[in-house]
Amino acid sequence: MAMFRLQGSKVLAVDMTGDAVKAKNGSMVAYDGQMAFKKLSGGGEGIRGMVTRRITGEQMTLMEVKGQGTCWFADRASEINLVNLQGDKLFVESSNLLATDSGLRTGTSFTGLRGASQGNGLFTTTIEGHGQAAIMSDGPAVVLRVSSQYPLTVDPGAYIAHQGNLRQSFQSGVTFRTFMGEGGGEAFQIRFEGDGVVYVQPSERNSIAGDV
């Protein structure tokens, strides 16, 4: 199995001995040894799950890297966080996913409607199995615990990923920005209930900003 390790907080090193990883296209910054590269698109096992975030029209292309040696990955100086999966499932925004073990299954989960009046669907990338995934954040990620006693409400622009036995719902109304007199349109928040963890970033995406 490929070995993931961080070099600093913004570069992911992956040591491979004949195995493969899937990574965001264009994110490789260097490699040594013998590597083969293949672009992944629409077809394949669960790959179409990586390609859409309908809400912003984003598209994500993946590549597979296979061989003997070490590859280094980075993306726009984002902070990188390693997540170990032990047969469980990780939900992550496609734009925040950097790389996964090739043995992990990837797909899509429909997580609800953002702004029911517009009928916009929200699709989140899912990763499951045993292995490691590398997710990115704008600034150091913070891991927040959710328990049955303490549900968590998150600004959608700060949300990166979550795992555990969590129920996710959308609340329209006040956003975190409303008090500052910013934003327009139909505002919403993401609420998590159950038992698990949520990863958030300190800097928000401009593309969503809590409004649809």
Side-chain angles (χ1 to χ4, degrees):
M1 186 179 285
M3 176 79 180
F4 284 37
R5 55 190 171 88
L6 293 180
Q7 288 199 219
S9 62
K10 299 180 180 181
V11 178
L12 170 69
V14 182
D15 301 315
M16 287 180 272
T17 54
D19 27 41
V21 295
K22 291 181 282 196
K24 187 173 184 177
N25 202 36
S27 64
M28 189 175 63
V29 293
Y31 72 92
D32 63 23
Q34 296 293 317
M35 297 291 166
F37 308 97
K38 182 168 70 176
K39 186 175 179 180
L40 301 173
S41 58
E45 172 268 318
I47 294 302
R48 64 184 177 282
M50 315 279 303
V51 265
T52 11
R53 254 248 321 250
R54 185 175 295 176
I55 192 97
T56 55
E58 285 178 9
Q59 204 154 346
M60 180 183 181
T61 313
L62 290 178
M63 60 179 179
E64 183 183 74
V65 185
K66 185 175 186 178
Q68 303 263 355
T70 301
C71 277
W72 289 269
F73 300 93
D75 187 51
R76 292 171 298 177
S78 297
E79 300 278 338
I80 300 170
N81 314 271
L82 296 183
V83 179
N84 286 303
L85 294 175
Q86 305 289 338
D88 52 331
K89 185 183 287 189
L90 175 73
F91 295 81
V92 60
E93 291 283 346
S94 61
S95 58
N96 290 93
L97 180 62
L98 180 62
T100 72
D101 283 340
S102 62
L104 290 171
R105 297 183 301 284
T106 52
T108 310
S109 174
F110 177 72
T111 52
L113 294 175
R114 281 184 174 173
S117 62
Q118 283 95 343
N120 286 317
L122 173 64
F123 293 85
T124 302
T125 296
T126 58
I127 304 164
E128 59 186 316
H130 289 82
Q132 284 188 297
I135 59 176
M136 298 180 292
S137 56
D138 189 357
V142 178
V143 183
L144 300 176
R145 164 66 59 184
V146 182
S147 68
S148 56
Q149 288 177 294
Y150 296 100
L152 182 71
T153 302
V154 176
D155 185 294
Y159 167 80
I160 304 170
H162 71 273
Q163 66 186 131
N165 185 21
L166 292 177
R167 295 180 305 284
Q168 183 180 0
S169 59
F170 296 98
Q171 298 179 324
S172 49
V174 177
T175 59
F176 294 95
R177 251 164 315 282
T178 303
F179 299 110
M180 307 298 291
E182 298 175 17
E186 187 169 351
F188 65 99
Q189 305 164 340
I190 310 175
R191 181 180 171 90
F192 293 94
E193 297 174 89
D195 184 49
V197 294
V198 177
Y199 298 81
V200 297
Q201 60 186 5
S203 175
E204 300 160 353
R205 294 177 206 84
N206 294 326
S207 57
I208 303 175
D211 302 318
V212 173

